[in-house]
């Protein structure tokens, strides 16, 4: 009677990593709030997307850090330079007091850019360079 052996399952595919570098910080104070989402309706505020990846990185370490995407797909990144570490973007008369930036560095006019203008395909490990913008 031959022994039956279970076929070995293929190893799980590791989640893709997006290496992010942020330039143009006006100070090393506080933290960078990072949001990675595939949901256009939840961009740039990831709080509406339970599947989003949210993290905080010390501003001093924001020159180069990794975000692990849950899987391949189309993503957009929004970042806020939370200089006073209160875990939100502070505003003054509708203008952000703190810096912000987006993947692909789309032009900013009134309000945040569209998901489409900031989105990029993640098919494996990749890199995004984000330039911070400050209104005040």
């Amino acid at each position: 009677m031959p022994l039956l052996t279970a076929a070995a399952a293929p190893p799980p595919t590791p989640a893709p990593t997006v290496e992010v570098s942020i330039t143009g910080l006006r100070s090393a104070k506080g933290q960078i709030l990072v949001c990675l989402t595939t949901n256009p309706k939840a961009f740039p505020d990831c709080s509406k997307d339970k599947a989003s990846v949210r993290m905080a990185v010390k501003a001093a370490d924001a020159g180069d850090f990794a975000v692990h995407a849950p899987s391949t797909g189309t993503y957009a990144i929004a970042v806020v330079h939370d200089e006073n570490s209160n875990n939100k973007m502070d505003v003054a008369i509708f203008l952000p007091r703190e810096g912000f930036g987006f993947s692909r560095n789309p032009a900013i006019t009134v309000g945040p850019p569209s998901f489409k203008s900031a989105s990029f395909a993640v098919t494996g490990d990749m890199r995004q360079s984000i330039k911070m913008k400050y209104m005040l």
Side-chain angles (χ1 to χ4, degrees):
M1 181 166 195
L3 285 175
L4 295 176
T5 56
T13 305
T17 299
V18 180
E19 290 286 333
V20 179
S21 60
I22 295 184
T23 60
L25 286 175
R26 69 177 169 197
S27 76
K29 291 191 299 192
Q31 62 188 353
I32 304 299
L33 302 177
V34 182
C35 150
L36 174 76
T37 184
T38 60
N39 184 342
K41 291 183 173 71
F43 182 77
D45 178 10
C46 280
S47 66
K48 301 178 190 114
D49 180 7
K50 288 183 174 46
S52 66
V53 175
R54 289 176 279 184
M55 58 191 279
V57 177
K58 287 181 185 171
D61 299 334
D64 197 25
F65 61 93
V67 181
H68 300 287
S71 62
T72 58
T74 301
Y75 290 89
I77 299 173
V79 296
V80 171
H81 184 189
D82 180 20
E83 290 177 279
N84 59 2
S85 297
N86 66 351
N87 292 313
K88 65 178 187 172
M89 176 185 272
D90 296 324
V91 295
I93 316 170
F94 307 111
L95 287 176
R97 283 182 181 235
E98 296 175 305
F100 56 90
F102 305 96
S103 45
R104 294 187 47 212
N105 298 303
I108 305 296
T109 52
V110 178
S114 68
F115 177 86
K116 185 177 179 183
S117 68
S119 65
F120 58 97
V122 174
T123 56
D125 292 353
M126 61 171 321
R127 173 171 279 287
Q128 278 290 315
S129 184
I130 298 174
K131 183 162 178 30
M132 295 301 291
K133 296 182 180 3
Y134 294 88
M135 306 296 270
L136 297 174

